[in-house]
Structure formats: structure tokens, C-alpha cells
């Protein structure tokens, strides 16, 4: 459903807050910090800014953010394990404010990380931008998936198929599914004044992933099958009349 001007403004506000949240947490991502500590910091920051952390209690998810470390593909659950130098971590935040959701994630380096970890992280970031740049009103989700998949393959990595981006706005997750693979012109049509996320997950080796249950939740978390690195970035994007606007940015 197309959003009206007031609704679009609310999306801009909550998405800017989501971006500011990642900026806020960045200096805390250091060797020795636990992901539970990062969770608590983001939780408080979100409330202090008049929003609520949407992941908390979402289908039973127990925490306010997702923290996916090294071989965790996505939906990692914060715990009391301290990060160590060499870890790479995706932090995924989704504040809800005034009835709207803003969803963004980024990778962070903990201390000194390997060139292999840096390379796959750079690939995931660039893949996300390739997907975003493929967005056009009345284009399709296949255009986005094609751009991501082609780029990731060219770099010698693989893009996860089972999980991807989604519509977002008054609900956290809606249609369309935004794949990281596909063919130009296939999939669902992109409608002006709707929002979606672009969030490719890039694996070092095969795209095969292992699903792991989360206690008391219907949300699963995922790992690479061989414990090799996986990396991901995410933005929420508004499709406009003649282009798109990346909403989860701040200065
Ligand atoms: N923010 C995640 C996404 O990008 C969803 C997390 S759902 C949760 O879609 F329950 F795991 F938090
Ligand atoms: Co998302
Ligand atoms: Co997210």
C-alpha cells in the first residue's frame, strides 16, 4: 500500500533514528564487550529517543537487536560472550516509532581483523549498494536480486537464497520478498511510495546455511554450514515516483 506524505515523513524519522542507532553503538564495539551489553545500550538508546526496539518479543525473539558474529548469517541472539579482536559482527537494529519501522544493519570490525574478513565485508556492502541502485519504480524485485547475485558471484562469494529483504512500513515484515538472486523483470513489481529493505547475506563458500532454533521463539538463527564467514548490510529504501530514497542514513 502506498504511503501518504505524513506516513512517509514518519518513515523518514524512524529510519534516521535507526541509522543514528548504528552510529551510536559503533564506538562500543571493542574487544571485551559482550553482545548483551551492546543489546542493553541500543535498548536504552531506542527508548531514550521515543521509540521501541521492534525485535524484542517479535515472534518470541528474546532481545532488542540481532548480533551475528563471524559465521552467524543472521538473527544472532546477544549473549554474555565477550567479543575478541578479529571478530566481525553484524548489528541489526529496528526501532519502531509512531507506528512505523526502520530497519538497518552493518558490519563492525572488532580490533584487528583478517584480510579475508575485510574482503567479504566489503563485498556485502557493495552488493547491498548494487541492489539498491537497481531499484526503480515499476521495476521488479528480480532486478534487485539479479544485481546482487551477479556482483557477489563475480567476487567469488555466494549469496544466501532462503532469506532476504522485505517490505516494511506500518509492519516489520511484509511483501515483497527481496531476493539476493534472480532474473531481471521477474518477481514482484516495485510500487512508488512503498518501502522495502535490501539486505544481502554473503557467504565465503557455499550459500548453504544451517537453521538453529531460538528458545521460546519461532524466529530461527542461521549459520554457515562450514563455519566460514558470512557478512551482511541492510538499508530501508523508499521507492519514489521516479527513483528511490535511502532512508536509513544520517550525517
Ligand atoms: N531486522 C531483521 C531483518 O532485517 C529481522 C530481525 S527479526 C528478529 O529483517 F526477531 F530476529 F529480531
Ligand atoms: Co530487514
Ligand atoms: Co534488519
Amino acid at each position: 500500500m502506498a504511503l501518504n506524505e505524513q506516513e512517509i515523513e514518519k518513515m523518514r524519522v524512524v529510519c534516521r533514528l535507526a541509522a543514528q542507532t548504528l552510529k551510536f553503538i559503533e564506538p562500543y564495539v571493542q574487544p571485551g564487550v559482550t553482545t548483551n551489553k551492546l543489546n542493553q545500550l541500543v535498548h536504552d538508546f531506542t527508548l531514550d529517543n521515543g521509540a521501541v526496539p521492534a525485535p524484542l518479543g517479535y515472534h518470541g525473539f528474546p532481545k532488542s537487536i540481532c548480533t551475528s558474529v563471524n559465521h552467524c548469517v543472521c538473527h544472532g541472539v546477544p549473549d554474555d560472550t565477550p567479543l575478541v579482536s578479529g571478530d566481525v559482527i553484524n548489528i541489526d537494529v529496528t526501532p519502531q516509532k509512531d507506528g512505523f519501522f526502520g530497519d538497518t544493519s552493518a558490519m563492525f570490525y572488532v580490533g584487528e581483523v583478517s584480510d579475508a574478513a575485510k574482503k567479504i565485508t566489503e563485498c556485502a556492502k557493495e552488493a547491498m549498494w548494487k541492489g539498491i541502485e537497481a531499484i526503480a519504480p515499476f521495476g521488479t524485485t528480480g532486478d534487485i536480486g539479479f544485481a546482487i547475485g551477479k556482483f557477489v558471484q563475480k567476487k567469488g562469494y555466494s549469496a544466501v537464497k532462503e532469506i532476504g529483504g522485505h517490505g516494511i512500513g506500518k509492519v516489520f515484515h511484509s511483501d515483497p520478498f527481496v531476493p539476493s538472486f534472480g532474473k531481471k523483470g521477474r518477481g514482484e513489481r516495485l510500487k512508488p511510495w512503498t518501502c522495502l529493505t535490501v539486505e544481502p547475506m554473503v557467504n565465503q563458500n557455499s550459500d548453504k546455511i544451517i537453521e538453529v532454533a531460538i528458545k521460546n521463539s519461532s524466529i530461527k538463527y542461521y549459520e554457515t554450514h562450514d563455519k566460514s564467514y558470512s557478512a551482511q548490510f541492510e538499508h530501508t529504501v523508499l521507492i519514489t515516483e521516479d527513483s528511490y530514497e535511502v532512508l536509513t542514513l544520517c550525517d
Side-chain angles (χ1 to χ4, degrees):
M1 263 265 287
L3 302 173
N4 66 35
E5 258 314 313
Q6 289 88 327
E7 293 170 329
I8 291 165
E9 201 41 45
K10 289 177 182 179
M11 277 304 283
R12 288 197 181 104
V13 169
V14 73
C15 286
R16 192 177 313 123
L17 175 60
Q20 284 163 344
T21 306
L22 289 183
K23 199 170 171 184
F24 159 78
I25 203 64
E26 177 163 26
Y28 295 99
V29 185
Q30 299 289 343
V33 77
T34 66
T35 46
N36 264 342
K37 175 73 180 176
L38 300 175
N39 178 74
Q40 189 61 50
L41 286 163
V42 168
H43 182 90
D44 294 345
F45 180 85
T46 306
L47 297 186
D48 288 346
N49 283 279
V52 295
L56 184 61
Y58 180 73
H59 297 292
F61 191 79
K63 299 286 174 170
S64 299
I65 59 173
C66 297
T67 48
S68 303
V69 181
N70 296 334
H71 62 274
C72 182
V73 174
C74 70
H75 301 169
V77 182
D79 64 15
D80 283 320
T81 315
L83 296 176
V84 298
S85 183
D87 283 345
V88 284
I89 179 176
N90 173 282
I91 301 180
D92 193 331
V93 302
T94 311
Q96 180 189 13
K97 189 174 186 175
D98 226 350
F100 290 82
F101 295 80
D103 192 1
T104 186
S105 81
M107 300 296 295
F108 300 90
Y109 298 148
V110 182
E112 280 302 313
V113 310
S114 66
D115 286 345
K118 283 182 188 162
K119 255 184 74 187
I120 189 171
T121 297
E122 282 307 309
C123 177
K125 187 193 268 185
E126 239 187 298
M128 174 193 66
W129 283 111
K130 295 286 178 199
I132 290 170
E133 286 159 11
I135 294 174
F138 307 109
T140 70
T141 54
D143 299 345
I144 302 172
F146 174 77
I148 293 170
K150 189 181 74 173
F151 178 79
V152 171
Q153 201 174 16
K154 195 179 79 188
K155 292 284 178 185
Y157 295 109
S158 58
V160 170
K161 307 258 180 328
E162 296 91 329
I163 331 161
H166 48 90
I168 186 166
K170 265 177 264 196
V171 292
F172 194 167
H173 295 101
S174 68
D175 283 347
F177 174 69
V178 182
S180 300
F181 64 96
K183 293 200 166 76
K184 280 186 195 173
R186 300 282 181 89
E188 292 183 57
R189 218 154 268 297
L190 307 180
K191 297 187 189 70
W193 313 119
T194 65
C195 294
L196 50 74
T197 72
V198 178
E199 49 178 307
M201 287 149 231
V202 176
N203 289 359
Q204 226 174 355
N205 298 321
S206 93
D207 61 9
K208 192 172 157 200
I209 54 175
I210 294 171
E211 186 179 280
V212 187
I214 297 169
K215 199 165 171 268
N216 297 321
S217 176
S218 57
I219 303 284
K220 317 281 185 202
Y221 78 86
Y222 299 87
E223 296 181 341
T224 57
H225 76 106
D226 59 358
K227 306 271 193 230
S228 60
Y229 289 124
S230 184
Q232 181 187 25
F233 284 83
E234 173 177 27
H235 274 310
T236 296
V237 182
L238 170 71
I239 299 156
T240 63
E241 199 171 72
D242 53 3
S243 183
Y244 62 83
E245 184 180 323
V246 180
L247 298 183
T248 36
L249 294 173
C250 65
D251 4 79

